[in-house]
Amino acid sequence: MTDFILYGAYGYTGQLITQMAKDYGLQPLLSGRNAAKLRPLAETHGFEHVAVDLADRAAIEELLARAPIVLHAAGPFIHTAKPMLEACLATGTHYLDITGEIGAFSKSQRRDQRAKEANIMLMPGVGFDVVPTDCMAAYLKERLPDATHLKLAFAWSGGGVSQGTAKSMLNGMGHPGAIREDGQIKPVKPGYKSASFPFTADKKLSAITIPWGDVFTAYFTTGIPNIETYFAAHPKQQANIRRSAWMGPVLRLGFVKNYLRKKIEQRPAGPSDEQRQQGRAFVYGEVRNAAGEKRAARINTLEGYTLTAITALIIAKRVKAGNWKPGFWTPAGLYGKDLIMEVPDTQREDVSL
């Protein structure tokens, strides 16, 4: 019996989810556009597979009719989320994805009422984007209920990013950054602000603002109206991010993006197994209220791609068991601040300010 459809199964993260699915007692039906890439993956793991192009609405709906849940892992989601969301609404299929793109979160949230009418759940961002940071936001909101400002920052060690992540980042190149101010998302210059955060007890790292998904999602999880998100980066990376502000018109040119996309495709698909096993991810969060009171905490957890596969499967298993609500939800908004603590080898601690 099929428990969920995994679309984008042969992508880097899709393959990790496929490899771990049986550990969570789940039987996915593997799907994506390319039958030649699906077949060996399905045969290796003993799962069914069906090749379907997202552009073929009738075929996608026929695919979704075979399971109550789809876990969408084929980005960039700013392009791929809409056709999958529309097919889910038409077929009554719960929608999960692993996006971190603000525009993709918005596409799901705008369909909240339609999802309630269809009695399905829409939960984008069930991976590293944004489970650890979303849980951090919920944890800090509980510690300071009248918080008005939230800062979230993350860092990782080992392995770099997958081709899929790099392509999503490429999509945003040449465009403004984003923060949330007084409840509204506001465009800002790329890397308009930097700060140092204590990601571990003995080490601070310099980080720069990026338009991480929590600019969108943390507001729905916590109601905090002012949100900034940061990524720990080397000074040269930070300089390149800031430089993109005046290179924007060039970076948005089609032939420039095509050239950079080909460069990405020449790189490894993602971190090696050894890099993932040795890597770690770190999240720091800080809130303050109108009176100037502050609370802070940090999380030390598994490498981001490994974590994404685990949290996606944890959530898929919950939905399968009937633990869901209709409409648009964030991970911590529905499952609470301790969802991240279900990930093995994860620690959370308060930070004194």
Short mmCIF file of all heavy atoms in Angstrom, two decimals, residues 230-291:
data_model
loop_
_atom_site.label_atom_id
_atom_site.label_comp_id
_atom_site.label_asym_id
_atom_site.label_seq_id
_atom_site.Cartn_x
_atom_site.Cartn_y
_atom_site.Cartn_z
N TYR A 230 19.05 35.47 9.47
CA TYR A 230 20.48 35.62 9.18
C TYR A 230 21.11 34.27 8.85
O TYR A 230 20.70 33.23 9.36
CB TYR A 230 21.22 36.17 10.40
CG TYR A 230 20.88 37.59 10.79
CD1 TYR A 230 19.70 37.88 11.47
CD2 TYR A 230 21.76 38.63 10.52
CE1 TYR A 230 19.40 39.18 11.86
CE2 TYR A 230 21.47 39.94 10.91
CZ TYR A 230 20.29 40.20 11.57
OH TYR A 230 20.00 41.49 11.95
N PHE A 231 22.16 34.33 8.04
CA PHE A 231 22.94 33.15 7.69
C PHE A 231 24.41 33.44 7.99
O PHE A 231 24.94 34.48 7.57
CB PHE A 231 22.76 32.81 6.21
CG PHE A 231 23.73 31.78 5.69
CD1 PHE A 231 23.80 30.52 6.24
CD2 PHE A 231 24.59 32.09 4.64
CE1 PHE A 231 24.70 29.56 5.76
CE2 PHE A 231 25.49 31.15 4.14
CZ PHE A 231 25.54 29.88 4.71
N ALA A 232 25.07 32.55 8.73
CA ALA A 232 26.49 32.73 9.04
C ALA A 232 27.32 32.51 7.78
O ALA A 232 27.24 31.46 7.16
CB ALA A 232 26.93 31.77 10.14
N ALA A 233 28.11 33.50 7.42
CA ALA A 233 28.87 33.43 6.16
C ALA A 233 30.23 34.09 6.33
O ALA A 233 30.40 35.03 7.12
CB ALA A 233 28.09 34.12 5.04
N HIS A 234 31.19 33.59 5.56
CA HIS A 234 32.53 34.17 5.51
C HIS A 234 32.44 35.61 5.01
O HIS A 234 31.55 35.94 4.20
CB HIS A 234 33.40 33.34 4.56
CG HIS A 234 34.84 33.73 4.56
ND1 HIS A 234 35.33 34.77 3.78
CD2 HIS A 234 35.91 33.22 5.23
CE1 HIS A 234 36.63 34.87 3.97
NE2 HIS A 234 37.01 33.95 4.85
N PRO A 235 33.32 36.49 5.47
CA PRO A 235 33.28 37.89 5.02
C PRO A 235 33.24 38.04 3.50
O PRO A 235 32.57 38.95 2.98
CB PRO A 235 34.55 38.49 5.61
CG PRO A 235 34.79 37.69 6.85
CD PRO A 235 34.35 36.30 6.52
N LYS A 236 33.94 37.16 2.76
CA LYS A 236 33.91 37.26 1.29
C LYS A 236 32.51 36.94 0.75
O LYS A 236 32.04 37.60 -0.19
CB LYS A 236 34.94 36.31 0.67
CG LYS A 236 36.38 36.77 0.84
CD LYS A 236 37.34 35.85 0.11
CE LYS A 236 38.79 36.35 0.23
NZ LYS A 236 39.74 35.44 -0.47
N GLN A 237 31.86 35.95 1.34
CA GLN A 237 30.48 35.64 0.94
C GLN A 237 29.56 36.81 1.24
O GLN A 237 28.69 37.16 0.43
CB GLN A 237 29.97 34.41 1.70
CG GLN A 237 30.48 33.08 1.18
CD GLN A 237 29.89 31.94 1.97
OE1 GLN A 237 30.28 31.68 3.11
NE2 GLN A 237 28.94 31.25 1.38
N GLN A 238 29.75 37.41 2.41
CA GLN A 238 28.92 38.55 2.77
C GLN A 238 29.12 39.71 1.78
O GLN A 238 28.16 40.37 1.38
CB GLN A 238 29.23 39.00 4.20
CG GLN A 238 28.86 37.96 5.25
CD GLN A 238 28.88 38.52 6.66
OE1 GLN A 238 28.71 39.73 6.86
NE2 GLN A 238 29.08 37.67 7.65
N ALA A 239 30.37 39.92 1.39
CA ALA A 239 30.65 40.98 0.43
C ALA A 239 29.98 40.70 -0.91
O ALA A 239 29.43 41.61 -1.56
CB ALA A 239 32.16 41.13 0.24
N ASN A 240 29.99 39.43 -1.33
CA ASN A 240 29.34 39.06 -2.59
C ASN A 240 27.83 39.26 -2.52
O ASN A 240 27.21 39.70 -3.49
CB ASN A 240 29.64 37.60 -2.93
CG ASN A 240 31.07 37.39 -3.40
OD1 ASN A 240 31.71 38.33 -3.88
ND2 ASN A 240 31.58 36.18 -3.25
N ILE A 241 27.24 38.96 -1.37
CA ILE A 241 25.80 39.17 -1.20
C ILE A 241 25.46 40.65 -1.32
O ILE A 241 24.52 41.05 -2.00
CB ILE A 241 25.33 38.59 0.15
CG1 ILE A 241 25.40 37.06 0.11
CG2 ILE A 241 23.90 39.05 0.47
CD1 ILE A 241 25.17 36.40 1.46
N ARG A 242 26.26 41.48 -0.65
CA ARG A 242 26.00 42.93 -0.72
C ARG A 242 26.24 43.46 -2.14
O ARG A 242 25.51 44.33 -2.63
CB ARG A 242 26.91 43.66 0.27
CG ARG A 242 26.55 43.40 1.72
CD ARG A 242 27.26 44.38 2.65
NE ARG A 242 26.96 44.11 4.04
CZ ARG A 242 27.71 43.36 4.84
NH1 ARG A 242 28.84 42.82 4.37
NH2 ARG A 242 27.37 43.14 6.09
N ARG A 243 27.26 42.91 -2.79
CA ARG A 243 27.58 43.35 -4.15
C ARG A 243 26.44 43.07 -5.12
O ARG A 243 26.25 43.78 -6.10
CB ARG A 243 28.86 42.64 -4.61
CG ARG A 243 29.53 43.29 -5.83
CD ARG A 243 30.87 42.61 -6.12
NE ARG A 243 31.83 42.86 -5.04
CZ ARG A 243 32.45 41.92 -4.35
NH1 ARG A 243 32.22 40.64 -4.59
NH2 ARG A 243 33.31 42.24 -3.40
N SER A 244 25.66 42.04 -4.82
CA SER A 244 24.56 41.69 -5.72
C SER A 244 23.50 42.79 -5.79
O SER A 244 22.70 42.81 -6.72
CB SER A 244 23.91 40.37 -5.28
OG SER A 244 23.19 40.51 -4.08
N ALA A 245 23.51 43.71 -4.82
CA ALA A 245 22.53 44.81 -4.84
C ALA A 245 22.70 45.66 -6.09
O ALA A 245 21.71 46.05 -6.74
CB ALA A 245 22.69 45.67 -3.59
N TRP A 246 23.97 45.95 -6.46
CA TRP A 246 24.16 46.80 -7.65
C TRP A 246 24.37 45.97 -8.91
O TRP A 246 24.34 46.51 -10.03
CB TRP A 246 25.31 47.78 -7.44
CG TRP A 246 26.63 47.20 -7.05
CD1 TRP A 246 27.11 47.02 -5.81
CD2 TRP A 246 27.67 46.74 -7.93
NE1 TRP A 246 28.38 46.47 -5.83
CE2 TRP A 246 28.75 46.29 -7.14
CE3 TRP A 246 27.80 46.66 -9.33
CZ2 TRP A 246 29.93 45.77 -7.67
CZ3 TRP A 246 28.98 46.15 -9.86
CH2 TRP A 246 30.01 45.71 -9.03
N MET A 247 24.57 44.65 -8.75
CA MET A 247 24.69 43.78 -9.92
C MET A 247 23.34 43.18 -10.32
O MET A 247 23.25 42.39 -11.26
CB MET A 247 25.67 42.63 -9.62
CG MET A 247 27.11 43.09 -9.50
SD MET A 247 28.21 41.70 -9.16
CE MET A 247 28.05 40.73 -10.66
N GLY A 248 22.28 43.57 -9.60
CA GLY A 248 20.96 42.98 -9.81
C GLY A 248 20.51 42.88 -11.26
O GLY A 248 20.12 41.80 -11.72
N PRO A 249 20.53 43.97 -12.02
CA PRO A 249 20.06 43.91 -13.41
C PRO A 249 20.81 42.87 -14.25
O PRO A 249 20.22 42.21 -15.10
CB PRO A 249 20.30 45.33 -13.92
CG PRO A 249 20.26 46.18 -12.71
CD PRO A 249 20.88 45.35 -11.62
N VAL A 250 22.12 42.73 -13.99
CA VAL A 250 22.91 41.75 -14.74
C VAL A 250 22.55 40.33 -14.30
O VAL A 250 22.35 39.43 -15.11
CB VAL A 250 24.42 42.00 -14.54
CG1 VAL A 250 25.24 40.90 -15.19
CG2 VAL A 250 24.80 43.36 -15.10
N LEU A 251 22.42 40.13 -12.98
CA LEU A 251 22.14 38.80 -12.44
C LEU A 251 20.76 38.29 -12.85
O LEU A 251 20.52 37.08 -12.85
CB LEU A 251 22.27 38.82 -10.92
CG LEU A 251 23.68 39.05 -10.38
CD1 LEU A 251 23.65 39.26 -8.87
CD2 LEU A 251 24.60 37.88 -10.73
N ARG A 252 19.87 39.21 -13.20
CA ARG A 252 18.53 38.79 -13.60
C ARG A 252 18.43 38.42 -15.08
O ARG A 252 17.41 37.91 -15.53
CB ARG A 252 17.50 39.89 -13.27
CG ARG A 252 17.24 40.05 -11.78
CD ARG A 252 16.03 40.91 -11.51
NE ARG A 252 16.20 42.29 -11.92
CZ ARG A 252 16.69 43.25 -11.15
NH1 ARG A 252 17.06 42.98 -9.91
NH2 ARG A 252 16.81 44.50 -11.60
N LEU A 253 19.49 38.69 -15.84
CA LEU A 253 19.47 38.38 -17.27
C LEU A 253 19.41 36.87 -17.49
O LEU A 253 20.10 36.10 -16.84
CB LEU A 253 20.72 38.96 -17.95
CG LEU A 253 20.80 40.49 -18.04
CD1 LEU A 253 22.17 40.90 -18.56
CD2 LEU A 253 19.70 41.04 -18.94
N GLY A 254 18.58 36.47 -18.44
CA GLY A 254 18.38 35.05 -18.70
C GLY A 254 19.65 34.30 -19.05
O GLY A 254 19.90 33.21 -18.53
N PHE A 255 20.49 34.88 -19.92
CA PHE A 255 21.68 34.15 -20.35
C PHE A 255 22.69 34.03 -19.22
O PHE A 255 23.45 33.05 -19.14
CB PHE A 255 22.32 34.80 -21.59
CG PHE A 255 23.11 36.06 -21.33
CD1 PHE A 255 24.47 35.99 -21.06
CD2 PHE A 255 22.50 37.30 -21.37
CE1 PHE A 255 25.20 37.14 -20.82
CE2 PHE A 255 23.22 38.45 -21.13
CZ PHE A 255 24.58 38.37 -20.85
N VAL A 256 22.70 35.01 -18.29
CA VAL A 256 23.59 34.93 -17.13
C VAL A 256 23.14 33.79 -16.23
O VAL A 256 23.94 32.97 -15.78
CB VAL A 256 23.60 36.26 -16.36
CG1 VAL A 256 24.41 36.12 -15.06
CG2 VAL A 256 24.20 37.37 -17.22
N LYS A 257 21.84 33.71 -15.97
CA LYS A 257 21.32 32.64 -15.11
C LYS A 257 21.51 31.27 -15.76
O LYS A 257 21.80 30.29 -15.08
CB LYS A 257 19.85 32.89 -14.77
CG LYS A 257 19.67 34.07 -13.83
CD LYS A 257 18.41 33.99 -13.02
CE LYS A 257 18.42 35.06 -11.94
NZ LYS A 257 17.25 35.01 -11.06
N ASN A 258 21.36 31.20 -17.07
CA ASN A 258 21.57 29.92 -17.76
C ASN A 258 23.02 29.47 -17.64
O ASN A 258 23.31 28.29 -17.44
CB ASN A 258 21.18 30.04 -19.23
CG ASN A 258 19.68 30.08 -19.43
OD1 ASN A 258 18.92 29.62 -18.56
ND2 ASN A 258 19.23 30.64 -20.54
N TYR A 259 23.94 30.42 -17.76
CA TYR A 259 25.36 30.11 -17.62
C TYR A 259 25.65 29.59 -16.21
O TYR A 259 26.32 28.56 -16.03
CB TYR A 259 26.20 31.36 -17.91
CG TYR A 259 27.66 31.21 -17.55
CD1 TYR A 259 28.54 30.53 -18.39
CD2 TYR A 259 28.16 31.75 -16.37
CE1 TYR A 259 29.88 30.37 -18.06
CE2 TYR A 259 29.50 31.61 -16.03
CZ TYR A 259 30.35 30.92 -16.88
OH TYR A 259 31.67 30.77 -16.53
N LEU A 260 25.12 30.30 -15.19
CA LEU A 260 25.37 29.90 -13.82
C LEU A 260 24.68 28.57 -13.50
O LEU A 260 25.22 27.75 -12.75
CB LEU A 260 24.87 30.99 -12.86
CG LEU A 260 25.65 32.32 -12.93
CD1 LEU A 260 24.98 33.37 -12.07
CD2 LEU A 260 27.10 32.12 -12.51
N ARG A 261 23.52 28.32 -14.12
CA ARG A 261 22.82 27.06 -13.90
C ARG A 261 23.64 25.88 -14.43
O ARG A 261 23.73 24.83 -13.79
CB ARG A 261 21.45 27.11 -14.58
CG ARG A 261 20.52 25.96 -14.21
CD ARG A 261 19.13 26.16 -14.78
NE ARG A 261 18.46 27.29 -14.14
CZ ARG A 261 18.18 28.43 -14.75
NH1 ARG A 261 18.53 28.61 -16.02
NH2 ARG A 261 17.56 29.39 -14.11
N LYS A 262 24.27 26.07 -15.58
CA LYS A 262 25.13 25.01 -16.14
C LYS A 262 26.33 24.75 -15.24
O LYS A 262 26.77 23.61 -15.07
CB LYS A 262 25.57 25.39 -17.55
CG LYS A 262 24.44 25.33 -18.57
CD LYS A 262 24.89 25.78 -19.95
CE LYS A 262 23.74 25.74 -20.94
NZ LYS A 262 24.13 26.26 -22.27
N LYS A 263 26.87 25.83 -14.65
CA LYS A 263 27.99 25.68 -13.72
C LYS A 263 27.56 24.86 -12.50
O LYS A 263 28.31 23.99 -12.01
CB LYS A 263 28.50 27.06 -13.27
CG LYS A 263 29.29 27.81 -14.32
CD LYS A 263 30.66 27.17 -14.51
CE LYS A 263 31.55 27.98 -15.41
NZ LYS A 263 32.87 27.32 -15.63
N ILE A 264 26.37 25.12 -12.01
CA ILE A 264 25.85 24.38 -10.86
C ILE A 264 25.73 22.89 -11.20
O ILE A 264 26.08 22.02 -10.39
CB ILE A 264 24.47 24.95 -10.43
CG1 ILE A 264 24.66 26.34 -9.80
CG2 ILE A 264 23.76 24.00 -9.47
CD1 ILE A 264 23.36 27.09 -9.56
N GLU A 265 25.25 22.61 -12.40
CA GLU A 265 25.03 21.21 -12.80
C GLU A 265 26.32 20.44 -12.99
O GLU A 265 26.30 19.20 -13.07
CB GLU A 265 24.18 21.18 -14.06
CG GLU A 265 22.74 21.62 -13.80
CD GLU A 265 21.94 21.84 -15.07
OE1 GLU A 265 22.54 21.79 -16.17
OE2 GLU A 265 20.72 22.08 -14.96
N GLN A 266 27.44 21.14 -13.06
CA GLN A 266 28.75 20.48 -13.17
C GLN A 266 29.32 20.11 -11.79
O GLN A 266 30.30 19.38 -11.71
CB GLN A 266 29.73 21.39 -13.91
CG GLN A 266 29.38 21.61 -15.38
CD GLN A 266 30.21 22.71 -16.02
OE1 GLN A 266 31.16 23.23 -15.43
NE2 GLN A 266 29.87 23.07 -17.25
N ARG A 267 28.68 20.60 -10.74
CA ARG A 267 29.14 20.32 -9.38
C ARG A 267 28.58 18.99 -8.89
O ARG A 267 27.65 18.45 -9.47
CB ARG A 267 28.68 21.45 -8.45
CG ARG A 267 29.32 22.79 -8.74
CD ARG A 267 28.62 23.92 -8.03
NE ARG A 267 28.11 23.54 -6.71
CZ ARG A 267 27.44 24.37 -5.92
NH1 ARG A 267 27.19 25.59 -6.31
NH2 ARG A 267 27.01 23.95 -4.74
N PRO A 268 29.11 18.46 -7.77
CA PRO A 268 28.51 17.26 -7.16
C PRO A 268 27.04 17.52 -6.82
O PRO A 268 26.64 18.67 -6.57
CB PRO A 268 29.35 17.06 -5.89
CG PRO A 268 30.65 17.72 -6.19
CD PRO A 268 30.32 18.90 -7.06
N ALA A 269 26.24 16.46 -6.81
CA ALA A 269 24.81 16.60 -6.53
C ALA A 269 24.56 17.22 -5.16
O ALA A 269 23.56 17.92 -4.95
CB ALA A 269 24.13 15.24 -6.62
N GLY A 270 25.46 16.97 -4.23
CA GLY A 270 25.33 17.50 -2.88
C GLY A 270 26.44 16.96 -2.00
O GLY A 270 27.35 16.29 -2.49
N PRO A 271 26.38 17.21 -0.69
CA PRO A 271 27.41 16.70 0.21
C PRO A 271 27.51 15.18 0.15
O PRO A 271 26.50 14.48 -0.05
CB PRO A 271 26.93 17.15 1.59
CG PRO A 271 26.02 18.31 1.33
CD PRO A 271 25.37 18.02 0.01
N SER A 272 28.71 14.65 0.32
CA SER A 272 28.90 13.20 0.37
C SER A 272 28.32 12.65 1.66
O SER A 272 28.04 13.39 2.62
CB SER A 272 30.40 12.87 0.29
OG SER A 272 31.05 13.32 1.48
N ASP A 273 28.15 11.33 1.72
CA ASP A 273 27.64 10.69 2.94
C ASP A 273 28.55 11.02 4.13
O ASP A 273 28.06 11.31 5.24
CB ASP A 273 27.55 9.18 2.75
CG ASP A 273 26.42 8.77 1.82
OD1 ASP A 273 25.56 9.62 1.53
OD2 ASP A 273 26.41 7.61 1.39
N GLU A 274 29.85 11.00 3.90
CA GLU A 274 30.79 11.31 4.98
C GLU A 274 30.64 12.74 5.45
O GLU A 274 30.66 13.03 6.66
CB GLU A 274 32.23 11.06 4.50
CG GLU A 274 33.27 11.29 5.58
CD GLU A 274 34.69 11.05 5.10
OE1 GLU A 274 34.87 10.69 3.91
OE2 GLU A 274 35.62 11.22 5.90
N GLN A 275 30.49 13.67 4.51
CA GLN A 275 30.31 15.07 4.89
C GLN A 275 29.02 15.27 5.68
O GLN A 275 28.99 16.02 6.66
CB GLN A 275 30.30 15.95 3.63
CG GLN A 275 31.66 16.11 2.98
CD GLN A 275 31.58 16.82 1.64
OE1 GLN A 275 30.64 16.62 0.87
NE2 GLN A 275 32.57 17.64 1.36
N ARG A 276 27.96 14.59 5.26
CA ARG A 276 26.69 14.71 5.99
C ARG A 276 26.82 14.16 7.41
O ARG A 276 26.30 14.74 8.37
CB ARG A 276 25.57 13.98 5.25
CG ARG A 276 25.06 14.69 4.02
CD ARG A 276 23.77 14.08 3.50
NE ARG A 276 23.87 12.67 3.20
CZ ARG A 276 23.42 11.68 3.98
NH1 ARG A 276 22.81 11.97 5.11
NH2 ARG A 276 23.56 10.42 3.62
N GLN A 277 27.49 13.02 7.54
CA GLN A 277 27.64 12.39 8.86
C GLN A 277 28.47 13.23 9.80
O GLN A 277 28.23 13.26 11.01
CB GLN A 277 28.24 11.00 8.69
CG GLN A 277 27.30 9.99 8.05
CD GLN A 277 28.01 8.75 7.52
OE1 GLN A 277 29.21 8.57 7.74
NE2 GLN A 277 27.29 7.91 6.79
N GLN A 278 29.45 13.94 9.26
CA GLN A 278 30.32 14.76 10.09
C GLN A 278 29.79 16.17 10.30
O GLN A 278 30.21 16.87 11.23
CB GLN A 278 31.72 14.82 9.46
CG GLN A 278 32.44 13.48 9.44
CD GLN A 278 33.81 13.56 8.79
OE1 GLN A 278 34.21 14.60 8.28
NE2 GLN A 278 34.54 12.45 8.81
N GLY A 279 28.88 16.61 9.45
CA GLY A 279 28.38 17.98 9.50
C GLY A 279 27.38 18.19 10.63
O GLY A 279 26.78 17.26 11.16
N ARG A 280 27.21 19.45 11.01
CA ARG A 280 26.24 19.85 12.03
C ARG A 280 25.53 21.11 11.56
O ARG A 280 26.05 21.87 10.73
CB ARG A 280 26.91 20.13 13.37
CG ARG A 280 27.66 18.98 13.99
CD ARG A 280 26.74 17.86 14.42
NE ARG A 280 25.86 18.24 15.52
CZ ARG A 280 24.90 17.44 15.99
NH1 ARG A 280 24.67 16.26 15.44
NH2 ARG A 280 24.13 17.83 17.02
N ALA A 281 24.35 21.35 12.11
CA ALA A 281 23.62 22.59 11.85
C ALA A 281 23.34 23.27 13.18
O ALA A 281 23.10 22.60 14.20
CB ALA A 281 22.32 22.29 11.11
N PHE A 282 23.38 24.59 13.17
CA PHE A 282 23.23 25.38 14.38
C PHE A 282 22.19 26.48 14.14
O PHE A 282 22.19 27.13 13.09
CB PHE A 282 24.56 26.03 14.77
CG PHE A 282 25.70 25.04 14.87
CD1 PHE A 282 26.48 24.75 13.75
CD2 PHE A 282 25.98 24.40 16.07
CE1 PHE A 282 27.53 23.84 13.83
CE2 PHE A 282 27.02 23.49 16.15
CZ PHE A 282 27.80 23.21 15.04
N VAL A 283 21.32 26.66 15.11
CA VAL A 283 20.30 27.71 15.03
C VAL A 283 20.37 28.55 16.29
O VAL A 283 20.45 28.02 17.41
CB VAL A 283 18.88 27.10 14.89
CG1 VAL A 283 17.82 28.20 14.97
CG2 VAL A 283 18.74 26.34 13.58
N TYR A 284 20.35 29.86 16.11
CA TYR A 284 20.30 30.80 17.23
C TYR A 284 19.06 31.67 17.06
O TYR A 284 18.73 32.09 15.94
CB TYR A 284 21.55 31.70 17.27
CG TYR A 284 21.48 32.79 18.32
CD1 TYR A 284 21.84 32.54 19.64
CD2 TYR A 284 21.03 34.07 17.99
CE1 TYR A 284 21.78 33.53 20.60
CE2 TYR A 284 20.95 35.07 18.95
CZ TYR A 284 21.32 34.80 20.26
OH TYR A 284 21.25 35.79 21.21
N GLY A 285 18.36 31.91 18.16
CA GLY A 285 17.19 32.77 18.11
C GLY A 285 17.16 33.73 19.27
O GLY A 285 17.64 33.42 20.37
N GLU A 286 16.58 34.90 19.02
CA GLU A 286 16.53 35.95 20.05
C GLU A 286 15.25 36.76 19.86
O GLU A 286 14.88 37.11 18.74
CB GLU A 286 17.75 36.85 19.90
CG GLU A 286 17.88 37.95 20.93
CD GLU A 286 19.15 38.77 20.69
OE1 GLU A 286 20.24 38.16 20.62
OE2 GLU A 286 19.04 40.01 20.55
N VAL A 287 14.54 37.02 20.98
CA VAL A 287 13.35 37.86 20.93
C VAL A 287 13.48 38.99 21.96
O VAL A 287 14.21 38.87 22.95
CB VAL A 287 12.06 37.06 21.24
CG1 VAL A 287 11.69 36.14 20.08
CG2 VAL A 287 12.19 36.25 22.54
N ARG A 288 12.75 40.05 21.71
CA ARG A 288 12.63 41.12 22.70
C ARG A 288 11.24 41.70 22.64
O ARG A 288 10.55 41.60 21.60
CB ARG A 288 13.69 42.21 22.49
CG ARG A 288 13.57 43.02 21.24
CD ARG A 288 14.63 44.13 21.23
NE ARG A 288 14.71 44.81 19.95
CZ ARG A 288 13.96 45.85 19.59
NH1 ARG A 288 13.05 46.33 20.44
NH2 ARG A 288 14.11 46.41 18.40
N ASN A 289 10.82 42.30 23.74
CA ASN A 289 9.50 42.94 23.78
C ASN A 289 9.64 44.45 23.80
O ASN A 289 10.76 44.99 23.76
CB ASN A 289 8.68 42.42 24.96
CG ASN A 289 9.32 42.74 26.31
OD1 ASN A 289 10.24 43.56 26.41
ND2 ASN A 289 8.83 42.09 27.36
N ALA A 290 8.51 45.14 23.89
CA ALA A 290 8.52 46.60 23.84
C ALA A 290 9.26 47.21 25.03
O ALA A 290 9.77 48.34 24.94
CB ALA A 290 7.09 47.12 23.78
N ALA A 291 9.32 46.48 26.14
CA ALA A 291 10.00 46.98 27.33
C ALA A 291 11.51 46.74 27.28
O ALA A 291 12.23 47.16 28.19
CB ALA A 291 9.41 46.32 28.57
#
